[in-house]
Amino acid sequence: MKLVSRPSGKEKWTKEFTCEACKAVWEVEETDLKVYNYAVSYAGETWEPEIVFNCPDCHTTNRVTRNLPSGMRDLLLEKACRRRRS
């Protein structure tokens, strides 16, 4: 498949997010995103992943799972799940 054009004119995906803690606005790229497991494990391992970015200013972890394109979100979570199992 060959890309003809992107409506945004950008070469890769980016989106602006505001840090929950310090309110700094960041242009986040896909490579800035990480999967973090927020589950608390007591008797067995639990998997409740969220996609996050870390604010370079205040080092706060910001959850952005619901603000991503569904295909990107699903791919990131799937890769993290595979790494977790191996």
Side-chain angles (χ1 to χ4, degrees), residues 42-82:
Y42 293 104
E45 188 155 342
T46 312
W47 179 243
E48 293 178 23
E50 290 279 348
I51 300 172
V52 302
F53 78 92
N54 291 315
C55 177
D57 274 356
C58 71
H59 309 287
T60 297
T61 300
N62 293 269
R63 298 179 192 197
V64 295
T65 305
R66 291 167 189 79
N67 299 313
L68 299 177
S70 61
M72 180 185 297
R73 178 184 61 232
D74 295 345
L75 184 63
L76 287 166
L77 292 173
E78 182 181 315
K79 284 180 183 177
C81 189
R82 272 190 263 130

Side-chain angles (χ1 to χ4, degrees), residues 5-55:
S5 70
R6 285 190 174 95
S8 65
K10 294 182 180 179
E11 291 186 22
K12 55 184 167 181
W13 179 88
T14 62
K15 185 170 180 169
E16 287 187 1
F17 289 105
T18 302
C19 176
E20 298 168 3
C22 71
K23 306 302 180 204
V25 177
W26 297 99
E27 183 176 84
V28 176
E29 298 177 356
E30 187 173 359
T31 56
D32 299 319
L33 301 171
K34 307 290 182 237
V35 176
Y36 182 80
N37 184 15
Y38 276 91
V40 177
S41 179
Y42 293 104
E45 188 155 342
T46 312
W47 179 243
E48 293 178 23
E50 290 279 348
I51 300 172
V52 302
F53 78 92
N54 291 315
C55 177

